[in-house]
């Protein structure tokens, strides 16, 4: 059996990984000069000095069980007894530097006072009401609300509450706060609602630049298993004959030539915009529903999440012992920062001036800045630089974050401000353009997302935007999709090899499942959510708590009666 994997992102490489474990012949084609998709990193060279840069900042959830399983199966070349999972560092420290007021810190080291958030009791209750509404909703009702934007669901919240209930979710989930889908955020709210009370508040960070710590090791492992990985090979066409894929045409960038290849099964691990372009150019591919859907999906899910690396000539000192993740809640561009040198243990730059490395994500596309007064997609690179520094400096002004010399952090300590090279400012349109946009689970995107299998019997999907239990576009959903894809191939091929175990997505607040079951029944009857039939969801929560207390009291009473009867019979005899 031979399988061709088109695209070497996390989904495609997971599929190759699972196939290679079963000694199945695999060829992987990737359009870029390195693997990793939108998770990849590289080294930028300027004046003969190198600097580590990433397509985007990233975190690894502690609940990413499917991804963790894969990482634990990839041995490190320097120590075969360790795996990629050993290259992850667990952190649970979050700093929220704010405009013109002190920062808020969430960390096991600190006991944050509720008053530090500057939220009134009414605002907090409204936020809890929204969260409780989400975690008591059935999946069928959620899916029916795909066209609803999360920001519209939170429209009645105050401006301060929206900073944490709407804008913050953009950087946290890698989505655009203005367009993200209600069902996606509602599911994740369930995790966070129960998570910060347990372990989901913690995250993992990679202890090296991503390709150094993960993808280079993965490529070496896959190639040792016989997988052929061909970079700089871009898919041009998928040939369909008699209802099946009969072959693919791939463009070899280095040789400037077309390559024809065939296999028994084909796996699509391409970004949605790359697939959409191919489908649009070939009318026969538009006849396949799952491929045709890539065209509207690419439009509705498009997100321009700007990635920037800032290199500083001073060590930055933070008020925590653990490496923090910083989110700037008052930043109109929804800025999030990872201080990489604290996680990596060094800067990985050959420039001796570099002491600190920030990976910066800019997630809000349509809000004007505080200095340039334009949204970032209307700014040139220099304007973006000035605006990013303006928002950081104002956020850090009253925060206990300083350089090693005791100064406030500013652009005067900047060695390099690097913007990922997929982004280019067009002086004619006066817009920031990108040939490699990020996928975002925006409102109305669910209806177009593909499943692992397609109507073409030997064609499968293994991407982060494939429908999975995780639901949201993420590294975990890509790993799950790659696993699902291979399990489907094993099923249709008739092989007797065992399928890979999949870890389903589970909400941590299982005590609320009866309310979810009730809502599923209400939805089936065409009735609204219980939270809509009461003044707010807190009434439902209070009533449910009372019911649980009555049930518990009834169980205790019943148990006491049994003990009494047993004791009475014993005494009588």
């Amino acid at each position: 059996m031979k399988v061709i994997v088109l695209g070497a992102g996390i989904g495609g490489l997971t599929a190759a990984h699972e196939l290679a474990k079963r000694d199945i012949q695999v060829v992987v084609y990737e359009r870029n000069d390195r693997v990793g998709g939108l998770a990849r990193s590289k080294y930028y060279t300027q004046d003969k000095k190198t600097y580590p840069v990433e397509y985007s900042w990233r975190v690894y959830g502690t609940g990413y069980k499917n991804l963790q399983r894969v990482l634990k199966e990839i041995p490190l070349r320097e120590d075969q007894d360790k795996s990629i999972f050993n290259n992850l560092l667990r952190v649970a420290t979050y700093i929220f530097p704010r405009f013109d007021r002190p920062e808020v810190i969430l960390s096991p080291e600190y006991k944050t006072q509720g008053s530090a958030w500057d939220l009134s009791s009414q605002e907090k209750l409204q936020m809890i009401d929204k969260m409780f509404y989400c975690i008591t909703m059935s999946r069928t009702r959620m899916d029916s609300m795909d066209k609803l934007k999360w920001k519209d669901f939170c429209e009645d919240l105050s401006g301060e509450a929206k900073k944490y209930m709407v804008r913050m979710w953009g950087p946290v989930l890698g989505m655009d706060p203005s367009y993200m889908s209600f069902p996606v955020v509602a599911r994740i709210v369930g995790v966070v609602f129960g998570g910060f009370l347990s372990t989901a508040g913690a995250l993992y960070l990679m202890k090296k630049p991503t390709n150094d710590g993960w993808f280079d090791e993965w490529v070496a492992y896959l190639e040792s298993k016989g997988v052929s990985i061909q970079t700089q090979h871009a898919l041009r066409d998928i040939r369909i004959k008699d209802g099946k894929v009969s072959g693919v045409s791939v463009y070899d960038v280095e040789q400037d030539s077309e390559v024809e290849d065939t296999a028994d099964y084909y796996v699509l691990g391409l970004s949605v915009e790359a697939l959409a372009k191919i489908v649009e150019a070939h009318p026969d591919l538009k006849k396949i529903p799952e491929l045709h859907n890539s065209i509207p999906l690419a439009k509705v899910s498009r997100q321009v999440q700007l990635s920037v690396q800032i290199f500083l000539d001073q060590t930055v000192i933070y008020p925590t012992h653990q490496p923090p993740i910083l989110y700037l809640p008052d930043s109109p561009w929804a800025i999030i920062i990872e201080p990489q040198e604290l996680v990596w243990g060094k800067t990985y730059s050959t420039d001796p001036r570099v002491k600190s490395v920030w990976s910066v994500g800019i997630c809000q596309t349509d809000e004007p800045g505080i200095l340039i007064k334009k949204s970032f997609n209307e700014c040139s690179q220099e304007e973006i630089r000035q605006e990013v520094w303006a928002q950081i400096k104002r956020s850090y002004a009253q925060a206990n974050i300083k350089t090693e010399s005791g100064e406030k952090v500013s652009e005067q300590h900047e060695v390099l401000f690097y913007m990922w090279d997929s982004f280019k400012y067009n002086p004619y349109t006066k817009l920031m353009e990108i040939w490699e946009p990020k996928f975002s689970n925006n409102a109305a995107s669910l209806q177009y997302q593909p499943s692992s299998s397609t109507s073409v019997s030997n064609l499968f999907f293994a991407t982060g935007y494939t429908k999975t239990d995780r639901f949201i576009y993420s590294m975990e959903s890509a790993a799950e999709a790659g696993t699902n894809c291979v399990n489907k191939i094993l099923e249709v091929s008739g092989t007797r090899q065992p399928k890979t175990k999949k870890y389903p997505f589970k909400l941590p607040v299982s005590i609320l499942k009866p309310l979810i079951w009730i809502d599923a029944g209400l939805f089936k009857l065409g009735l609204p959510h219980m939270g809509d039939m009461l003044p707010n969801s807190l009434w439902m929560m209070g009533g449910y708590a009372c019911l649980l207390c009555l049930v518990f009291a009834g169980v205790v009473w019943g148990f006491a009666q049994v003990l009494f009867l047993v004791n009475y019979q014993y005494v009588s005899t």
Side-chain angles (χ1 to χ4, degrees):
M1 185 194 304
K2 177 182 175 182
V3 179
I4 289 178
V5 178
L6 301 160
I10 296 171
L13 290 179
T14 299
H17 179 94
E18 293 300 322
L19 292 164
K21 282 163 50 177
R22 294 164 172 83
D23 296 321
I24 295 172
Q25 183 184 358
V26 184
V27 178
V28 180
Y29 291 112
E30 165 59 42
R31 67 177 176 177
N32 293 310
D33 61 356
R34 69 198 68 232
V35 306
L38 300 187
R40 70 189 187 279
S41 67
K42 65 179 181 179
Y43 285 89
Y44 170 72
T45 301
Q46 179 176 283
D47 298 330
K48 298 182 180 179
K49 299 180 181 70
T50 58
Y51 305 85
V53 294
E54 305 262 348
Y55 173 86
S56 176
W57 72 278
R58 67 191 56 263
V59 296
Y60 304 72
T62 52
Y64 284 11
K65 300 301 182 183
N66 293 287
L67 179 63
Q68 289 175 24
R69 174 191 60 77
V70 174
L71 297 181
K72 290 175 181 178
E73 292 175 357
I74 308 169
L76 298 178
R77 287 171 289 180
E78 62 185 21
D79 186 348
Q80 294 287 308
D81 292 329
K82 293 183 178 179
S83 69
I84 302 300
F85 187 76
N86 296 107
N87 280 345
L88 295 179
L89 175 70
R90 188 185 178 99
V91 298
T93 297
Y94 311 92
I95 301 178
F96 300 83
R98 303 177 296 174
F99 285 0
D100 312 320
R101 47 190 176 160
E103 77 276 31
V104 173
I105 300 174
L106 284 179
S107 172
E109 306 171 42
Y110 286 81
K111 185 159 181 81
T112 302
Q113 299 297 324
S115 59
W117 294 99
D118 292 335
L119 292 167
S120 68
S121 298
Q122 180 65 24
E123 288 171 324
K124 292 173 187 175
L125 287 174
Q126 286 178 326
M127 292 168 68
I128 293 172
D129 176 38
K130 294 291 185 185
M131 290 189 284
F132 196 75
Y133 187 93
C134 293
I135 62 177
T136 56
M137 184 180 291
S138 64
R139 180 164 184 167
T140 49
R141 189 184 298 278
M142 279 188 187
D143 291 352
S144 72
M145 300 169 69
D146 179 49
K147 294 183 180 180
L148 176 66
K149 297 175 183 176
W150 175 256
K151 74 168 186 177
D152 293 337
F153 173 71
C154 297
E155 185 59 35
D156 57 335
L157 295 179
S158 69
E160 189 67 21
K162 286 178 183 177
K163 291 178 182 178
Y164 301 98
M165 284 294 287
V166 180
R167 186 182 293 169
M168 186 177 75
W169 286 110
V172 170
L173 303 179
M175 299 165 64
D176 192 315
S178 295
Y179 307 104
M180 52 193 181
S181 165
F182 167 79
V184 173
V185 184
R187 277 177 171 80
I188 302 303
V189 162
V191 176
V192 175
F193 191 83
F196 276 110
L197 303 176
S198 54
T199 60
L203 297 166
Y204 291 110
L205 301 176
M206 185 64 68
K207 292 190 285 188
K208 296 181 178 182
T210 309
N211 275 60
D212 295 41
W214 179 7
F215 292 117
D216 291 349
E217 300 282 356
W218 206 358
V219 167
Y221 172 74
L222 292 175
E223 289 181 339
S224 74
K225 293 290 186 181
V227 176
S228 173
I229 300 177
Q230 304 293 323
T231 56
Q232 293 191 288
H233 281 68
L235 177 65
R236 286 288 181 82
D237 190 16
I238 302 171
R239 296 191 300 278
I240 307 294
K241 184 178 180 180
D242 299 328
K244 297 179 68 176
V245 177
S246 60
V248 293
S249 177
V250 179
Y251 175 64
D252 184 336
V253 177
E254 288 186 326
Q255 300 298 322
D256 189 23
S257 61
E258 295 283 337
V259 176
E260 303 292 329
D261 203 355
T262 60
D264 299 293
Y265 298 96
Y266 300 81
V267 176
L268 288 172
L270 302 173
S271 62
V272 68
E273 89 283 346
L275 179 60
K277 288 178 181 177
I278 294 167
V279 173
E280 283 186 305
H282 298 86
D284 56 321
L285 297 180
K286 292 182 180 180
K287 299 176 184 178
I288 301 168
E290 298 84 359
L291 299 185
H292 183 271
N293 282 345
S294 68
I295 298 173
L297 181 60
K299 294 176 182 177
V300 75
S301 66
R302 181 182 175 86
Q303 183 197 7
V304 182
Q305 178 177 296
L306 185 60
S307 177
V308 168
Q309 270 73 44
I310 300 177
F311 298 84
L312 305 171
D313 65 5
Q314 288 262 313
T315 300
V316 179
I317 309 300
Y318 300 92
T320 58
H321 297 298
Q322 257 201 355
I325 296 172
L326 298 98
Y327 170 64
L328 283 51
D330 295 331
S331 159
W333 285 5
I335 291 176
I336 193 163
I337 301 173
E338 282 185 15
Q340 300 286 32
E341 80 286 351
L342 298 182
V343 180
W344 296 344
K346 59 181 182 179
T347 66
Y348 280 87
S349 173
T350 60
D351 188 337
R353 297 173 297 168
V354 175
K355 299 295 189 298
S356 298
V357 182
W358 291 349
S359 186
V360 181
I362 304 170
C363 303
Q364 184 86 36
T365 60
D366 55 1
E367 287 290 327
I370 61 173
L371 177 67
I372 306 298
K373 308 297 183 183
K374 293 191 291 187
S375 60
F376 83 71
N377 57 355
E378 298 174 308
C379 293
S380 66
Q381 181 166 344
E382 177 55 28
E383 288 174 328
I384 287 173
R385 175 185 169 275
Q386 294 176 26
E387 181 62 45
V388 167
W389 271 116
Q391 295 184 31
I392 290 175
K393 288 191 297 182
R394 188 170 173 187
S395 297
Y396 283 15
Q398 293 191 31
N400 190 21
I401 301 172
K402 296 179 174 62
T403 67
E404 58 187 327
S405 60
E407 302 172 79
K408 287 294 183 181
V409 183
S410 74
E411 65 269 40
Q412 297 194 4
H413 295 293
E414 177 192 297
V415 174
L416 176 68
F417 186 96
Y418 176 84
M419 195 165 66
W420 187 263
D421 59 14
S422 297
F423 298 87
K424 297 292 180 185
Y425 180 71
N426 187 325
Y428 300 103
T429 63
K430 295 185 178 181
L431 292 173
M432 183 61 65
E433 297 178 353
I434 181 173
W435 60 266
E436 192 178 34
K438 188 179 178 297
F439 183 94
S440 176
N441 294 94
N442 294 336
S445 62
L446 175 63
Q447 60 186 315
Y448 302 118
Q449 289 178 239
S451 300
S452 296
S453 300
T454 72
S455 53
V456 178
S457 61
N458 63 341
L459 181 65
F460 302 86
F461 274 92
T463 70
Y465 58 84
T466 307
K467 287 180 181 176
T468 62
D469 283 345
R470 173 63 55 172
F471 196 84
I472 185 173
Y473 179 83
S474 63
M475 294 184 288
E476 170 68 0
S477 64
E480 183 184 339
T483 301
N484 290 344
C485 165
V486 173
N487 284 344
K488 289 290 184 181
I489 289 175
L490 296 176
E491 184 180 310
V492 301
S493 66
T495 180
R496 296 184 177 180
Q497 297 198 56
K499 295 181 180 180
T500 297
K501 177 185 176 182
K502 189 184 74 171
Y503 295 89
F505 173 65
K506 293 181 179 179
L507 292 176
V509 196
S510 56
I511 195 173
L512 299 177
K513 280 187 176 178
L515 289 177
I516 297 174
W517 296 335
I518 291 172
D519 185 59
L522 291 173
F523 180 75
K524 195 170 183 179
L525 294 171
L527 297 174
H529 184 274
M530 284 184 289
D532 294 324
M533 294 188 282
L534 297 169
N536 55 53
S537 296
L538 298 178
W539 283 65
M540 178 173 57
M541 183 164 57
Y544 186 60
C546 292
L547 179 62
L548 288 178
C549 290
L550 289 173
V551 171
F552 178 74
V555 171
V556 171
W557 184 84
F559 186 65
Q561 291 298 308
V562 171
L563 287 178
F564 174 78
L565 290 173
V566 170
N567 185 57
Y568 178 78
Q569 291 179 357
Y570 177 76
V571 172
S572 299
T573 56

